[in-house]
Amino acid sequence: MSLEIKDHSISKRIKVIQIQETELDKLIFPFNKHSVQSLEYKPFSRFSLAKSVDDVFSGDLSKNLNQILKDRNSGTTIIEPNINNSKFDKDFLVKLSTAFAYLVGLPNFDSMTDKYYARFHVKHSDSSDSYLRKAYRNLDLHTDGTFVKEKTDWVLMTKMEEINTFGGESVLLHLDDWEHCKELSEDPVGKQNFVWGSPKSKNIDYKVEHPVFSKDKDGKPTISYIDQFPEPKNMEQGLFLQKLSDALEQSKNKLSFPLKPGSTIFSNNYFWLHGRKPFKQDMNLSRELLRIRGVFSQ
Ligand SMILES: [Fe+2]
């Protein structure tokens, strides 16, 4: 079965991969071989699961995912499986997301959940210590993995479920579309080492140091940034981060769009930033997300 890949209506940098029900049906049998628990306990089983997904597309899925994610002009795909039928449950989505991740590389261990992936809810009320689960706050543009030692080449986010939600659109920005990229990536302060810590819920008991801006092998700027976790050590660093935060949030080139339940955003984490708009107030609001972050295998 060949893959159908289109440009997203909002930007041709984003490639949309649609998976039809007939193709998903072919995954039911190989997926039944693995439970979510066995995938968690036996790392090798995730590779055989991923291979069974790739086989449905005659190897085209791994080829295209790798090409898109490593292409500076693109770097993001949205995968839209047609999961309207109830036979495709949440376990099915965990398996599908696992397969996507293992077709490009290896997930990093997620300390928040002690697994290779994390599932979490955004609800009406929240007592956590970061913006991640705060429904009525903007989740500002950021990259992932800013406060861990591991490299984070890519990030995969799957919307598992959405109930009583209005608003909460996904927001993305490609570094090359950002009006202030040249000015801020060439600012000497952006190349200084910053200290990055994290709140308790992340379960990381160390701090790391790295600059906000670096360069890739072709000399193009890359970014590693989130608003909450850098610990500026002086006025110069503090003011730089404020300017950076304002310049990102005020960008006119941010892409914002609704993401269908069951869909996955899969992005290069060096030149794409991601965020989320606030939700409208609703006591019964519930959104469940799954995330996997990791490295390319080649
Ligand atoms: Fe994130």
Side-chain angles (χ1 to χ4, degrees), residues 120 132 139-140 142-145 155 157 226 269 274-275 291 293:
F120 52 92
L132 183 65
L139 182 61
D140 285 359
H142 65 278
T143 61
D144 272 21
V155 54
M157 296 158 287
I226 187 164
N269 192 49
H274 60 274
R291 74 156 182 238
R293 315 185 269 216

Side-chain angles (χ1 to χ4, degrees), residues 117-135:
Y117 67 96
R119 281 170 71 171
F120 52 92
H121 280 90
V122 177
K123 287 183 182 283
H124 172 70
S125 61
D126 172 66
S127 58
S128 72
D129 52 10
S130 81
Y131 288 133
L132 183 65
R133 297 187 191 79
K134 304 219 180 296

Side-chain angles (χ1 to χ4, degrees), residues 164-209:
N164 291 314
T165 55
F166 196 79
E169 292 88 352
S170 302
V171 183
L172 295 173
L173 177 65
H174 190 297
L175 213 47
D176 297 344
D177 293 337
W178 181 39
E179 303 88 329
H180 300 278
C181 183
K182 188 171 164 54
E183 176 201 346
L184 285 167
S185 68
E186 290 180 3
D187 188 318
V189 186
K191 298 175 194 167
Q192 289 177 4
N193 264 349
F194 284 72
V195 175
W196 305 76
S198 55
K200 209 166 175 299
S201 65
K202 308 290 183 189
N203 296 326
I204 302 282
D205 60 3
Y206 57 82
K207 295 185 184 195
V208 295
E209 282 193 31

